[in-house]
Amino acid sequence: MAEEEEEEVGVFLRRLLEEVLPVALGLEEPLPLQPLSRGPIGPQEVQGESLELGIRLLTLCDLSPFHCLPETRIPQDPDKDQDPNQDQDPGQAQLLQSEPLQRFFLNTLREVAVAWQHTPPNPSPSPASFVPLCSAHAIRNTRRKMEDKHVAIPYFNQLFNLQEGTLNQDGTLNQDRTLNQDRTLSVAWLGDSQALLVSQGAVVPLMDPHKPEREDERSRVEALGGCVTFVGCWRVNGTYAVSRAIVSPGQSLWKPYVSGEADCATWPLGGGEDYVLLACDGFFDVVGVAEVPALVLSALGEEPSGEGVAQKLVSHAREAGSSDNITVMVVFLRPPRHILARGGVATAAAPKMRQSSE
């Protein structure tokens, strides 16, 4: 590790251990930040909850994360009790208590930092690809409570050790194409939020929202013994306005009519793509898909950096009459200034979905 980088890592670890996690948290000690959730969570949620908690901790404490190779881990003691829910009956559903799990994660994070102070980790490789800018904004609007939630992880590949390629000493990219010959965009979705790709000004819808009135969704619900009726809008069993959603353990009443099984699709990327826009129904209820490119270009005219684009789009939806929660995320696949310089005329045919599965 270079001397300058080693010094940077040392400062980061020292601040983390002195200012944020000076001592291990006791069983009843409060967390150093607001808990992500207080109810039970499933095993499949553990990794995501832990990553979000760690990122929030670093953000709130104004610490920049140091990305190291995943091979750098502290040795695990097989005899050490690491499960905060070890007394759970194995015959019961494997639900974990959120606060003990978060406390356990923070204590483990502290152990790793202490170990790294003695043996610094290996440096992460230089990024081999463009890290896209994500502009995100959300408002409660006139609703009584905020039901939307969004998470953006710019360094997702590094966190999960997904390597697109490595840089050679001459600066060229050594791309391993054994598993994947082309660059692709994968999308998975549940519910009525939408995602679209804008490629050289052409709009490409990436998904079909899970609305109860969709013919295939209506057939699925009715085949299970449920019904789809119109109560202000089309609803499952006269109540739920989406036919699929992330259904928590406390909402099992809606199963199996409201499914938790996601749809997914993979799209080829040719290199001419501008951005991906993700937004909830509070945005798309008042903004047509075809309007998006012009709105983004207009926002870029005022915010050439791209960082404030999502806020401009949210404001537009509110002024257009949306009273629902509004969340918009714009992930730029090329520098925003390049998009602005080229303008908004569609110059390329929309790519076609390569595969789709449930």
Side-chain angles (χ1 to χ4, degrees):
M1 181 183 297
E3 183 177 343
E4 183 178 341
E5 189 174 31
E6 188 171 349
E7 182 179 352
E8 180 184 351
V9 174
V11 171
F12 167 77
L13 293 173
R14 186 165 59 253
R15 284 195 60 199
L16 180 67
L17 293 172
E18 291 178 359
E19 301 175 18
V20 185
L21 298 170
V23 295
L25 297 172
L27 293 178
E28 302 298 328
E29 245 182 288
L31 299 175
L33 71 168
Q34 187 71 19
L36 293 177
S37 57
R38 298 184 184 276
I41 63 173
Q44 70 277 12
E45 300 174 277
V46 170
Q47 191 173 37
E49 289 264 327
S50 300
L51 282 171
E52 185 176 353
L53 182 65
I55 291 171
R56 280 186 57 204
L57 182 73
L58 296 173
T59 302
L60 289 172
C61 300
D62 194 27
L63 283 168
S64 298
F66 171 76
H67 300 286
C68 68
L69 293 175
E71 287 81 357
T72 308
R73 298 188 177 99
I74 57 171
Q76 298 298 319
D77 183 353
D79 299 323
K80 183 177 180 180
D81 175 17
Q82 297 189 339
D83 186 355
N85 298 274
Q86 66 170 358
D87 296 330
Q88 185 178 28
D89 183 353
Q92 298 177 353
Q94 296 295 308
L95 295 179
L96 308 173
Q97 292 304 311
S98 181
E99 283 202 52
L101 180 66
Q102 293 176 63
R103 192 175 289 109
F104 165 72
F105 167 78
L106 292 174
N107 283 339
T108 302
L109 177 64
R110 184 180 182 279
E111 289 181 20
V112 172
V114 170
W116 281 1
Q117 275 195 318
H118 293 90
T119 307
N122 294 322
S124 59
S126 300
S129 58
F130 169 68
V131 177
L133 167 70
C134 177
S135 173
H137 191 66
I139 61 170
R140 178 171 58 87
N141 213 359
T142 61
R143 282 295 184 94
R144 182 175 59 86
K145 61 180 180 178
M146 181 60 166
E147 297 179 342
D148 290 358
K149 181 179 180 181
H150 65 278
V151 178
I153 306 177
Y155 295 95
F156 185 89
N157 283 6
Q158 287 174 281
L159 287 169
F160 289 96
N161 194 28
L162 302 177
Q163 300 295 332
E164 293 184 3
T166 56
L167 290 177
N168 298 321
Q169 289 185 353
D170 61 0
T172 59
L173 181 63
N174 177 23
Q175 181 76 40
D176 182 1
R177 298 178 180 269
T178 304
L179 298 178
N180 190 356
Q181 293 292 331
D182 305 299
R183 293 184 62 215
T184 57
L185 172 68
S186 296
V187 182
W189 70 95
L190 284 166
D192 55 3
S193 293
Q194 295 187 53
L196 56 87
L197 173 70
V198 174
S199 178
Q200 299 186 34
V203 178
V204 186
L206 297 177
M207 50 173 285
D208 190 2
H210 293 127
K211 298 278 192 178
E213 62 266 33
R214 249 178 61 177
E215 184 177 348
D216 56 340
E217 289 297 287
R218 179 195 291 268
S219 298
R220 180 185 61 78
V221 171
E222 291 176 346
L224 293 169
C227 64
V228 175
T229 57
F230 191 86
V231 184
C233 63
W234 290 103
R235 299 176 183 272
V236 175
N237 293 344
T239 304
Y240 221 60
V242 293
S243 56
R244 301 198 193 190
I246 300 175
V247 183
S248 66
Q251 297 174 312
S252 56
L253 172 67
W254 300 111
K255 294 181 179 180
Y257 315 109
V258 177
S259 171
E261 185 173 353
D263 275 335
C264 59
T266 301
W267 300 79
L269 297 178
E273 295 77 20
D274 298 331
Y275 54 86
V276 175
L277 182 140
L278 305 93
C280 66
D281 58 332
F283 177 80
F284 281 111
D285 281 349
V286 297
V287 177
V289 168
E291 298 177 67
V292 168
L295 289 174
V296 171
L297 278 174
S298 175
L300 283 173
E302 301 179 41
E303 298 278 350
S305 69
E307 295 180 2
V309 166
Q311 185 171 356
K312 296 286 184 183
L313 297 178
V314 168
S315 297
H316 175 84
R318 181 176 56 190
E319 292 166 4
S322 177
S323 59
D324 202 351
N325 301 152
I326 307 175
T327 299
V328 174
M329 302 177 73
V330 183
V331 182
F332 290 98
L333 302 179
R334 65 170 65 233
R337 293 180 185 275
H338 293 183
I339 300 172
L340 183 61
R342 194 199 62 242
V345 179
T347 58
K352 295 183 179 180
M353 181 170 61
R354 193 173 69 180
Q355 65 185 50
S356 178
S357 62
E358 291 189 3

